[in-house]
Amino acid sequence: MYPQPNNTPNEQDSVKEVNALIGNERFLVQQFIPLDLIDQKKYDIRIYVQKDHQGQWTVSGGFSRVVGSADSYITNQATEIKSIHDMLKENNMLSTNQLDKMEKISIQAAQAIEYKLGHLGEMAVDFGLDHQGNPWIIEVNGRTQKKFVKRVNDSELTRTIYLKPIEYARFLARSPRKK
């Protein structure tokens, strides 16, 4: 078991922390992303992609996780959950153009991962925006943690996220089986 890294305020300190943790072992480590800030806090955007009643990948919605500490780079330990609608109103790099890009990339990621891994029905793609507004995939999740959606307080989003897998299951049940 590895010790927990400290939160660090910059890239160089983060690299030193990671090197101290891994020593001579080989790991794949994601490139450092200088994340955009909202109220001096880092955030990410989670996009839900799910198959619909016709078996097609679609974007069901998403939300943003805001980190409580300005020094933290771990966005999945958020202290605040915000709707995409609210984030678009904030003073940050998120725009409808960036959101459109992230949604298209999310569909492409779902299709590519399903091609490699086999049949899937839903996933969540986490993005960070850098200081220039460029979207970066942080990770893709097969376990989508729908519990966060309820914290957004958007009944339509919650309904869609929970209902779409049932609609897809109905599609599968009605589809002729391949032999």
Side-chain angles (χ1 to χ4, degrees), residues 1 19-20 52 68 87 90 107 109 119 124 138 152 155 168-170:
M1 175 119 157
N19 286 336
D52 65 10
M87 288 298 290
E90 298 282 350
I107 297 288
H119 181 83
I138 296 172
V152 176
S155 59
Y168 179 53
R170 186 181 320 158

Side-chain angles (χ1 to χ4, degrees), residues 17-110:
E17 287 282 333
V18 169
N19 286 336
L21 287 173
I22 65 174
N24 291 330
E25 292 187 54
R26 292 181 51 92
F27 287 88
L28 176 63
V29 178
Q30 182 175 12
Q31 176 180 329
F32 178 81
I33 305 167
L35 293 175
D36 185 34
L37 302 175
I38 178 172
D39 298 328
Q40 299 304 309
K41 298 174 188 173
K42 292 170 187 71
Y43 66 92
D44 71 1
I45 304 291
R46 172 165 282 191
I47 304 292
Y48 281 92
V49 287
Q50 298 173 303
K51 286 196 175 170
D52 65 10
H53 65 282
Q54 296 178 323
Q56 300 299 310
W57 285 108
T58 62
V59 172
S60 298
F63 59 86
S64 177
R65 297 178 295 191
V66 181
V67 179
S69 167
D71 291 339
S72 180
Y73 285 92
I74 304 173
T75 54
N76 64 356
Q77 295 180 350
T79 56
E80 188 177 0
I81 305 292
K82 291 188 172 212
S83 72
I84 296 291
H85 178 73
D86 288 343
M87 288 298 290
L88 286 168
K89 293 185 215 173
E90 298 282 350
N91 186 19
N92 59 38
M93 296 302 294
L94 183 62
S95 69
T96 55
N97 286 341
Q98 265 68 18
L99 187 57
D100 288 345
K101 283 181 193 176
M102 289 185 282
E103 289 178 353
K104 287 176 185 168
I105 291 168
S106 295
I107 297 288
Q108 292 170 345

Side-chain angles (χ1 to χ4, degrees), residues 140-154:
V140 178
N141 300 282
R143 293 185 179 168
T144 60
Q145 296 185 345
K146 291 182 180 92
K147 64 183 179 185
F148 286 119
V149 173
K150 292 178 182 178
R151 290 178 50 191
V152 176
N153 205 19
D154 179 339

Side-chain angles (χ1 to χ4, degrees), residues 110-125:
Q111 291 168 339
I113 291 169
E114 183 176 47
Y115 178 78
K116 285 290 189 183
L117 297 180
H119 181 83
L120 299 169
E122 71 178 352
M123 63 185 64
V125 184

